[in-house]
Amino acid sequence: MPPRADGRPGRLSAGMGWRPAYDLAATAGAPTEVQRIPVADAVGRVLAADLVALVALPGFDTSAMDGFAVAGAGPWRLVGRVLAGGAPHADVLGAGTAVEIATGAMVPAGTRAVLPVEVCRCEAGVVTGSEPGRSNIRLAGEDVLPGQVLAEAGAVAGAALAGLAAQAGLDELAVWRPPLVRIVVTGDELVFDGLPDVGKIRDALGPLVCAVVTRAGAVVADVIRVRDDAAALADALLGGQADVVVVTGSSSVGRADHLHPVLDRLGARMMVDGVACRPGHPQLLARNGDGRWVVGLPGNPYAGLVGCLTLLEPLLGGLAGRTRRNPLMLPLSGDPQPAAGWTRLVPVLIDGGHATVVAASRPASLVAAATADAVAVVEPEWHAGQPVWLLPLQ
Ligand SMILES: Nc1nc2c(c(=O)[nH]1)N[C@H]1C(S)=C(S)[C@@H](COP(=O)(O)OP(=O)(O)OC[C@H]3O[C@@H](n4cnc5c(N)ncnc54)[C@H](O)[C@@H]3O)O[C@H]1N2
Ligand code: MOO
């Protein structure tokens, strides 16, 4: 086993409280570069400016039904036809007349209501039918007015927002450039495909961290595999193009755990050095001398996931420009094994407004988390049935 960069085993700091660490990570960074991209490409991106409607919706009085636009009392004499996208009816509709109309077509001036085709008959140019209970007309601007703010800066564009932006007349959206992330996977014991030989194991954290990064609205720049070697780790921290470097493993105090001494040597400013939580205690957040953020995740895979939820995801959310939202809170049942002085992070299932512990913390095992809905944040003073924060896993 190669020695650590400083040649001796280290000592882990007692660590910051879980909630202060989470809050610090969430507020540490902010986005800097605005990009303008086509509306259709914006899904998953974060608005850098309010989304403001350029037009009214509907843009004109519109039929909500296929049928007949009528004026005055029936029966009505048929005087024309208007189709969606077609020319409007030329005249004001006079009392006792009707035009055949399609859903989405412009309603002629003077229309009292649109009779759906199912409730009327048209024979020999005369329409008869029962009065509709409602007008079946969508009025211009009843949904959106020009200048209306439809979504605020910081919103994550979803499918509906992309559709709405197009309806509201926009071709492009101003979004924040997503943070670029380099993932550095350390460990001489790791193999990356196939079945491991004796003493070796498959890398779980590379795929896991990639998924977290993407879900947080950031982009994986590259994934680097580094042996347990201080110089190689330093090179990986400095190389490539990234706003954030995530290092998996090497966070503890063993001889092969080089992250702390390497960060010291690079002049990094330690912002979170250990978190008072179980599992996931030896996680860290630092700002390197070159301005990059460094997130150190414990090598035990579930502890690494906890580090992702505690430091990485909130940091990336801030750098991506996402509006910060407090997680969902629900009452928790089961035994999360609360521990004095430590916040427990336990996988839970959510059902009917209630969270239930799947299993207490097993730092090296992803089995419970793999099928859980969320990770519950259980403070030391928690007692049965009390609500807890839930960090979603799906
Ligand atoms: N003397 C002490 N030893 C340890 C302490 C401590 O306080 N004092 N803390 C323990 C805790 S808690 C954790 S968590 C681990 C953290 O270890 P490292 O972050 O330095 O990671 P490694 O030592 O490299 O690995 C730990 C464990 O995880 C496995 N591993 C590592 N990377 C991966 C990966 N990409 N995919 C799957 N599994 C991985 C590795 O084989 C080890 O079994 O330290 C404890 N020790
Ligand atoms: O972070 Mo460690 O055991 O707490 O897995």
Side-chain angles (χ1 to χ4, degrees):
M1 183 189 302
R4 280 171 37 133
D6 58 359
R8 60 195 159 85
R11 197 172 292 278
L12 282 174
S13 105
M16 189 182 272
W18 185 87
R19 181 62 196 273
Y22 177 91
D23 287 343
L24 191 150
T27 52
T32 49
E33 263 175 67
V34 177
Q35 299 175 324
R36 296 197 65 84
I37 59 168
V39 164
D41 297 341
V43 173
R45 304 292 297 274
V46 182
L47 298 186
D50 292 351
L51 167 56
V52 178
L54 299 180
V55 294
L57 295 175
F60 45 86
D61 292 352
T62 308
S63 176
M65 293 284 179
D66 298 311
F68 295 90
V70 300
W76 300 274
R77 184 169 50 84
L78 192 62
V79 296
R81 171 189 287 164
V82 278
L83 297 176
H89 186 65
D91 305 311
V92 175
L93 207 55
T97 65
V99 294
E100 190 182 347
I101 194 162
T103 304
M106 292 179 77
V107 170
T111 299
R112 188 165 59 80
V114 172
L115 273 59
V117 72
E118 298 90 332
V119 299
C120 56
R121 292 172 61 167
C122 180
E123 278 174 357
V126 175
V127 177
T128 52
S130 50
E131 298 288 322
R134 51 187 183 165
S135 75
N136 292 320
I137 299 171
R138 294 200 295 253
L139 296 175
E142 74 175 21
D143 193 15
V144 169
L145 292 170
Q148 188 174 328
V149 174
L150 301 175
E152 291 183 355
V156 180
L161 188 143
L164 177 63
Q167 274 186 311
L170 287 111
D171 297 323
E172 291 184 331
L173 287 175
V175 295
W176 293 115
R177 177 179 72 75
L180 265 181
V181 182
R182 161 170 274 204
I183 301 169
V184 179
V185 179
T186 72
D188 290 354
E189 71 279 36
L190 301 178
V191 296
F192 299 90
D193 49 34
L195 300 179
D197 285 338
V198 177
K200 303 285 186 184
I201 58 166
R202 279 285 297 272
D203 163 39
L205 287 174
L208 185 155
V209 176
C210 278
V212 169
V213 167
T214 309
R215 185 177 86 151
V219 172
V220 176
D222 50 15
V223 182
I224 306 287
R225 298 157 187 179
V226 170
R227 295 186 64 78
D228 289 324
D229 174 79
L233 180 58
D235 286 349
L237 283 168
L238 296 172
Q241 288 242 313
D243 304 294
V244 178
V245 181
V246 182
V247 179
T248 72
S250 208
S251 67
S252 187
V253 292
R255 289 199 158 272
D257 297 334
H258 300 289
L259 185 56
H260 280 88
V262 166
L263 286 174
D264 272 356
R265 218 179 59 208
L266 295 178
R269 184 164 58 95
M270 204 58 88
M271 300 176 73
V272 178
D273 186 7
V275 177
C277 66
R278 288 201 188 278
H281 169 242
Q283 51 181 303
L284 65 83
L285 172 63
R287 192 93 198 250
N288 211 349
D290 61 4
R292 288 177 176 196
W293 301 93
V294 179
V295 176
L297 299 176
N300 279 329
Y302 180 59
L305 175 63
V306 165
C308 285
L309 299 175
T310 304
L311 296 179
L312 180 61
E313 206 166 30
L315 175 74
L316 293 178
L319 290 171
R322 288 187 176 185
T323 297
R324 205 179 152 198
R325 292 215 179 96
N326 275 345
L328 179 69
M329 276 192 99
L330 288 176
L332 176 71
S333 59
D335 182 12
Q337 302 178 354
W342 297 91
T343 300
R344 284 267 191 215
L345 289 111
V346 294
V348 296
L349 290 170
I350 299 175
D351 190 19
H354 203 94
T356 307
V357 175
V358 182
S361 30
R362 294 180 61 197
S365 174
L366 288 171
V367 172
T371 53
D373 296 314
V375 166
V377 180
V378 185
E379 298 298 351
E381 58 279 6
W382 176 86
H383 51 81
Q386 265 190 336
V388 290
W389 265 21
L390 297 169
L391 309 171
L393 287 173
Q394 308 303 332

